[in-house]
Each structure stands twice: as structure tokens, then as C-alpha cells.
Amino acid sequence: MKERVITYERILLKTFGFIIHCVHPHKFVNSFVHSLEGSDELQQLAWNMLNDSLRTTLCVRFKGHVVAAGAIYLAARRLQVGGEQRCCCLPFPLSAITCPALLAPHC
């Protein structure tokens, strides 16, 4: 009985347009930081920011790789890594529209 209720609840939520599944950004951080040849400190700070982001709607509003790239960008700014202060310093697809919407609450 309980399983049927959960199944019907999911069907209703999907019908109403709710996103039931999202891709968590944590799985992208290790490969992104590694490809940027970043430090362990950068990776850990970005990971911590992603942990905090789970309390927000970011993982539903944006794709996982975008949130991960934003966390790495913010971590690099906080650690003062690199001289670039704009989104295009990341070799990942952060558009000029997505970047301010993603980072605005944190800058």
C-alpha cells in the first residue's frame, strides 16, 4: 500500500511539472579541478560550497556541471587563485546569462 502511494505521488508530481531527479554537482568537481590543475585546497573549498548549495534550489535550477563550475569559480576567487575576475576564465560552458544568476547570491 505504501509503495503504491509513493508511486502515485511521483506520477502526480511529474504531471504537475516537478523535477524529481537532479544531477548532483559533486561528481564534476574532482575532474574539473584536476583538468584545471588546481590544488587540493581549491577542490575542498569548492566541495564545501557545493555541500552548502544543497540547501538552495541551485541543483534544480541549473545543470550539475554549471553549479560545479560556479563553485570552483567562487572557490578560486576566495583563494585568490588566478587574476581573472570573470566567468570566462573557466573552460566550461558558463554563459554570460547563467553566470550572474548562479553567482549573484554569493558575490
Side-chain angles (χ1 to χ4, degrees), residues 6-68:
I6 291 172
T7 301
Y8 291 134
E9 182 180 52
R10 285 185 180 207
I11 291 170
L12 282 173
L13 288 173
K14 283 183 181 181
T15 303
F16 292 146
F18 283 85
I19 298 173
I20 296 175
H21 180 267
C22 67
V23 178
H24 290 280
H26 290 79
K27 72 179 192 175
F28 297 104
V29 170
N30 295 340
S31 60
F32 285 3
V33 171
H34 179 72
S35 69
L36 292 170
E37 299 175 1
S39 66
D40 290 339
E41 185 180 17
L42 175 66
Q43 182 174 342
Q44 185 62 49
L45 183 56
W47 190 275
N48 292 343
M49 288 181 173
L50 289 177
N51 286 341
D52 293 340
S53 77
L54 292 177
R55 294 184 177 97
T56 68
T57 60
L58 287 177
C59 68
V60 178
R61 292 175 47 210
F62 301 100
K63 294 185 179 187
H65 69 277
V66 174
V67 177

